[in-house]
Amino acid sequence: AQTVTQSQPEMSVQEAETVTLSCTYDTSENNYYLFWYKQPHSRQMILVIRQEAYKQQNATENRFSVNFQKAAKSFSLKISDSQLGDTAMYFCAFMKQRTGSEKLVFGKGTKLTVNP
Amino acid sequence: DTEVTQTPKHLVMGMTNKKSLKCEQHMGHRAMYWYKQKAKKPPELMFVYSYEKLSINESVPSRFSPECPNSSLLNLHLHALQPEDSALYLCASRRTGEDIQYFGAGTRLSVL
């Protein structure tokens, strides 16, 4: 079974600064997907960024980037130029390559607060 | 358009009530999901529908009854719930052949 571990229950950062959220996972699969979702105000889950395991290049989406280390099974999220709107719960998630079930396995989450 | 619409946003029900949660998407996604999320916890998968057929039931109690009447609509029928069933219920959908699940804003359910 796959597991996802987020070791930082809470983090805070000053506006305009950079913060890195950690995520490690355990799997015997070779092909899979990794995701970071944010959940503001404990409501909608919003996709921040995704990474395909077979791609060595780290994914980037504007101010968001990942450091994907497949051998180390590590998938950290870097948020640059933090904004107040980045305040949210962040979940790291794993999914096996499409097998028909496509079950997302989530970590426990990191609560990020961006301070003015 | 990546919108998944859930209604109602909030629901309060007694343990003897029967209610339904609704989820709708018009993106042509043929996989739809129900998740349950307790406060300060990650979402937990309940059910998966693929092409309107139930493909995964994560051992959910029978007081939760899912239904997928067509490719755009997913319902969750609730009956004789317990206070511990109070949670945020999230719906998600995914396009066949792709990996991203798109979530709705959820229904916050309180069982009294």
Side-chain angles (χ1 to χ4, degrees), chain A residues 33 35 37 39 41-45 47 50 52 89 91 95 98 100-104 106-109, chain B residues 9-10 33 35 37 41-43 45 56 58 88 90 94 97-101 103-108:
Chain A
Y33 301 92
F35 307 88
Y37 280 90
Q39 188 178 35
H41 312 299
S42 299
R43 292 301 296 230
Q44 188 170 13
M45 300 280 284
L47 179 68
R50 63 184 275 275
E52 295 160 299
M89 195 74 167
F91 291 99
M95 188 178 77
R98 297 183 292 279
S101 62
E102 293 84 26
K103 177 178 177 178
L104 276 172
F106 289 95
K108 291 186 176 181
Chain B
K9 287 186 171 22
H10 302 274
Y33 306 75
Y35 290 86
Q37 186 179 23
K41 299 287 187 183
L45 182 66
I56 295 178
E58 292 283 301
L88 180 69
L90 292 163
R94 179 185 59 81
E98 297 182 1
D99 51 281
I100 298 172
Q101 291 185 24
F103 285 81
T107 293
R108 193 168 299 283

Side-chain angles (χ1 to χ4, degrees), chain A residues 103-115:
Chain A
K103 177 178 177 178
L104 276 172
V105 178
F106 289 95
K108 291 186 176 181
T110 296
K111 182 180 178 182
L112 176 67
T113 302
V114 180
N115 298 308

Side-chain angles (χ1 to χ4, degrees), chain A residues 3-4 9 17 20 23 25 28 36-37 40 46 48 76 78 80 83 86 89 91 94 98-99 105 107 110-111 116:
Chain A
T3 60
V4 177
E17 293 188 347
T20 298
C23 173
Y25 58 94
S28 58
W36 280 98
Y37 280 90
I46 301 167
V48 175
S76 61
K78 185 171 83 170
S80 304
Q83 300 177 0
D86 295 332
M89 195 74 167
F91 291 99
F94 170 100
R98 297 183 292 279
T99 59
V105 178
T110 296
K111 182 180 178 182

